[in-house]
Amino acid sequence: MKFSPNVSSSRRKSRKAYFGAHSEARRKLMSANLSKELQARHGVRSMPIRKDDEVLITRGMFKTREGKVTAVYRKKMVVHVERITREKVNGASVPVGIPASSLVITKLKLDKDRKAKLEAKSKKEGKKEDVAMSNVD
């Protein structure tokens, strides 16, 4: 069910927005959920993935494997995780691209900007919960 009149539910428009997004918009699209411990600690559900975060793969052939993010490839909308590779026919080893939605962040690489973003986001989500609960009787 559509709640917001500002967001289209059209498949065509959604795909155009996703595949035609510029780099900064792709950063936000390439967000992953935080683990339950991190969600409890920071009060935030998800964050954009960045290099040096530690992640757990939740879907696909490499399910349950953990590793550190080596590259966030915005152009291809994939994330490269260390030790997640496959052999090419000529014997070379290449990293396998994994969609950000198939990952859970288990350890954040925090710097001052990211800490500030986490705090701002947790305050914003805290207000959202209060508003949602005020409608319940």
Side-chain angles (χ1 to χ4, degrees):
M1 183 169 167
K2 184 174 168 182
F3 294 105
S4 173
N6 303 327
V7 179
S8 174
S9 55
S10 164
R11 173 178 164 85
R12 178 186 189 178
K13 290 179 183 177
S14 302
R15 287 176 59 85
K16 182 176 183 186
Y18 180 81
F19 292 110
H22 52 83
S23 182
E24 188 55 34
R26 284 181 186 230
R27 176 182 169 273
K28 200 163 188 182
L29 286 171
M30 293 178 69
S31 293
N33 287 342
L34 271 54
S35 66
K36 296 293 180 196
E37 302 87 59
L38 289 177
Q39 283 183 28
R41 188 183 318 151
H42 299 294
V44 174
R45 188 180 177 89
S46 65
M47 284 290 285
I49 286 189
R50 77 174 267 185
K51 187 177 173 179
D52 295 329
D53 282 348
E54 289 185 23
V55 295
L56 169 72
I57 301 171
T58 57
R59 290 184 192 85
M61 198 168 79
F62 299 102
K63 190 175 184 174
T64 70
R65 300 266 303 269
E66 289 189 66
K68 190 181 267 192
V69 174
T70 56
V72 179
Y73 205 151
R74 289 187 194 170
K75 188 174 184 183
K76 290 187 176 179
M77 297 283 235
V78 294
V79 176
H80 292 161
V81 181
E82 73 181 3
R83 297 187 309 274
I84 306 295
T85 58
R86 59 186 292 258
E87 292 285 316
K88 285 173 54 170
V89 178
N90 66 4
S93 182
V94 291
V96 175
I98 296 164
S101 61
S102 300
L103 301 172
V104 169
I105 300 172
T106 55
K107 188 176 176 194
L108 290 165
K109 178 177 191 271
L110 289 174
D111 56 7
K112 67 176 176 55
D113 294 330
R114 212 163 189 208
K115 278 182 185 171
K117 191 70 175 171
L118 264 175
E119 287 171 18
K121 201 170 178 187
S122 66
K123 285 179 187 171
K124 184 179 171 186
E125 288 191 9
K127 285 182 184 175
K128 200 181 282 185
E129 275 182 29
D130 296 339
V131 172
M133 294 307 289
S134 65
N135 298 337
V136 178
D137 276 326

